[in-house]
Structures are given as C-alpha cells and as structure tokens.
Amino acid sequence: MAERDPYQVLGVSRGASDAEIKKAFRKLARQYHPDRNEGSPAAETRFKEVQAAYDSIGTAEARRKHEQEQMFGAGGRNPFGGMGGMGGMGGMGGMEDVLSQMFGKSMGGGQRRQPGPRPPQERGQNASSWLDLSREEATKGGSFNLTYTQLIPGTHGSIDRKRRTLSVKVAAGTNHGKEIRVKGQGHGHPQGVNGDLIVNIRIDPGEGCRWDGNRVVKEVEVEYSTLVLGGKVTVTLPSGVKGKITIPPLSQVGDRQRVKDLDIEFILMEIENLDDSQKDAVEALKDVGL
C-alpha cells in the first residue's frame, strides 16, 4: 500500500511552520502512544505512522528532502532522465559513432555504417502536485489554478527551479485520489522534451476528519469507562448533523464504526486534571487490576 502523505497524517497544511508540525506530532504521539492504549494494535500502528510522518517533515531539512523525493521520485533520481557521460554525448553512440558521422567511415577504416533506427526522444521526469478541492468544488467540477515547481535545465548543467501556475480542468463528480495527467508540463530535459505533470486530487474531508484510503475517518473521544463498559457518545458529522452512536463493551482505541459514508474511530479522551473523587476511583481500578 502506498505511503500516506505525511502532511495528511499529521493533519497540517503544506505551508505549516516547523512549530505547528511539532505541536501536531506531540498531540498525536501522546494520544496513540502504546503505554496509553493498553497495547492496542490499531493504536500502535497509528503511532508508528505518526512517527514516520514526523520523521519525513519534522525539520526544515527533512521537508526539503521530502519535497525533492516528490519531484525526483524515490531515491532522488535526476529529473532530466538518462543523460550519458562525456558531456551529454552518451546518447549519440559513443566517440566512434561521432567520428563516423563526421568522416563517413569508422575509426578502423571500414566502410560507412548504415544509419540505424532513430532512438526514442528522451523525456524529463514527470512532476507531481496536489490540487485541494472542497466537496462542492469536486462535485461541480470546473477549472482550477494550480501552482507547482518545474525543474528545467539551465546553463553548464545546472538545474533551475521555476514556479508555474496553470489551469487544470476537473470533471464533475471527481473522487478523492484521482490523478489528472497534463501532457508536457513536467520537468524538462536538456536533450529532449518535458515530462508530464501528474495532478493528484485531494478533497477536503471536513473538520476533524482525515482520509484513510477511500474512506473518511472522524476521530471521536471516548471516556475510558465507556470504552470498557459500553455506552453512547455524541458525534457531529461533517455536515453539522449531530447524533449518538453506541459504543460496544470492551471496545479498544482505534476500533471503528461505520456511519453512512463515514468511519468513526474511537480515541481515548484527553484528561487534563483529576479531582479527588476521580483519583480515588482510578486507584480503586488499579487495586483490582484495571
């Protein structure tokens, strides 16, 4: 399964500051830490995902590396594709071929070689970007402006970065995760044509929600006693409608319940302070092994 966008995992925008990213990470790491979730496998998986996301974009250097990998592909490949050595002449068949073309015969004095089929034209790497839409925009469709960074060959083998803005046409009813290919608008190549631009549609799932594959997930805080004994909690849907859902007894952090086209995920309610009666109740639970 493809790795999720770290910005989406942490619930921050691509323009978030380092401090905002760190704050979001600390909140999620504290929430899903295995020590706070009774060894829940779902919470442990989420904790590892949050940690990996922070490792990817938690510092300015990490973010630069992540963006470079997004542009160049895995491993930071050269976006200009397979240029040969010898000053870019590797694609011409080597020095012997160059001399043959100049003097009409091979270096060994043989007859002139017959020209072979022309090699395919080299292309730059594809560029990728995200286009964020509201649900209403995705439903109606239309043309939307997108700004991205295009890498183009400069002088003396350098790479220039060019910020480009273009209009992308989105069909009505487009789903989250759809890819739109824009021909010839990707990274350049010094001896060929541009690659393509791959636009990934990202639809806003709503306040307090996130995407997990093709499903929208909304986290709902549940008291520990309700997780263990069962009960009801109030849920506000992205549409603003409120309703109650039933929590089965012995539920775990990370368990989900499907409500229409939404997955409700149970998380442990944050506790800032305990009064004396609550402390006594917790001590009593501790004494009986809970």
Side-chain angles (χ1 to χ4, degrees):
M1 184 173 64
E3 184 177 338
R4 289 177 58 205
D5 176 20
Y7 294 95
Q8 187 181 21
V9 171
L10 296 177
V12 298
S13 69
R14 299 187 65 78
S17 66
D18 289 351
E20 290 171 329
I21 292 174
K22 182 177 290 186
K23 181 179 179 181
F25 164 70
R26 285 178 173 173
K27 177 182 177 181
L28 292 172
R30 183 172 65 250
Q31 177 179 319
Y32 291 107
H33 197 281
D35 291 346
R36 301 193 63 186
N37 292 282
E38 303 294 328
S40 166
E44 182 179 358
T45 298
R46 186 87 167 94
F47 177 79
K48 291 179 179 179
E49 183 181 45
V50 167
Q51 180 66 62
Y54 183 73
D55 290 342
S56 294
I57 61 172
T59 64
E61 180 61 29
R63 293 175 79 176
R64 280 194 295 270
K65 182 179 179 181
H66 173 74
E67 296 301 328
Q68 184 182 47
E69 289 174 349
Q70 291 298 311
M71 292 178 188
F72 292 178
R77 296 174 299 170
N78 187 331
F80 300 144
M83 288 180 63
M86 300 181 66
M89 292 168 61
M92 297 176 62
M95 185 59 70
E96 182 177 350
D97 286 344
V98 175
L99 295 175
S100 296
Q101 293 173 20
M102 292 174 64
F103 300 116
K105 57 183 178 180
S106 69
M107 292 180 67
Q111 297 298 314
R112 182 173 183 174
R113 303 164 85 184
Q114 293 298 319
R118 298 185 73 180
Q121 192 171 21
E122 295 194 73
R123 292 169 50 85
Q125 294 287 336
N126 293 336
S128 63
S129 188
W130 293 266
L131 179 59
D132 292 316
L133 302 176
S134 67
R135 287 187 176 272
E136 293 74 18
E137 290 172 331
T139 299
K140 293 180 180 178
S143 295
F144 303 91
N145 287 337
L146 169 70
T147 299
Y148 69 104
T149 299
Q150 182 186 45
L151 304 180
I152 56 177
T155 57
H156 306 295
S158 64
I159 299 175
D160 295 335
R161 301 165 63 90
K162 180 180 179 181
R163 293 293 287 171
R164 297 200 58 199
T165 299
L166 51 81
S167 180
V168 177
K169 188 174 182 179
V170 178
T174 291
N175 295 323
H176 175 80
K178 179 178 176 58
E179 289 186 351
I180 299 175
R181 181 180 293 265
V182 185
K183 293 286 188 180
Q185 300 301 319
H187 301 311
H189 192 289
Q191 295 176 332
V193 297
N194 291 353
D196 299 334
L197 171 65
I198 309 299
V199 180
N200 299 277
I201 300 299
R202 189 164 53 190
I203 300 175
D204 183 4
E207 184 176 358
C209 299
R210 73 177 193 276
W211 286 98
D212 187 358
N214 293 323
R215 298 287 299 175
V216 176
V217 178
K218 180 178 178 63
E219 295 177 343
V220 175
E221 290 189 335
V222 182
E223 295 175 342
Y224 177 71
S225 58
T226 304
L227 280 175
V228 175
L229 301 175
K232 293 183 179 293
V233 295
T234 300
V235 175
T236 302
L237 301 179
S239 61
V241 175
K242 291 186 178 181
K244 288 185 178 294
I245 63 171
T246 300
I247 308 296
L250 300 179
S251 291
Q252 301 290 321
V253 170
D255 286 354
R256 295 183 183 181
Q257 189 172 128
R258 180 166 295 188
V259 178
K260 295 183 179 180
D261 59 348
L262 187 71
D263 285 349
I264 304 298
E265 182 175 278
F266 307 152
I267 64 174
L268 190 62
M269 179 175 287
E270 292 284 335
I271 301 175
E272 298 294 337
N273 296 292
L274 294 174
D275 59 29
D276 290 340
S277 62
Q278 290 172 326
K279 289 180 181 179
D280 291 341
V282 174
E283 288 292 343
L285 288 176
K286 182 179 178 181
D287 291 342
V288 297
L290 290 178

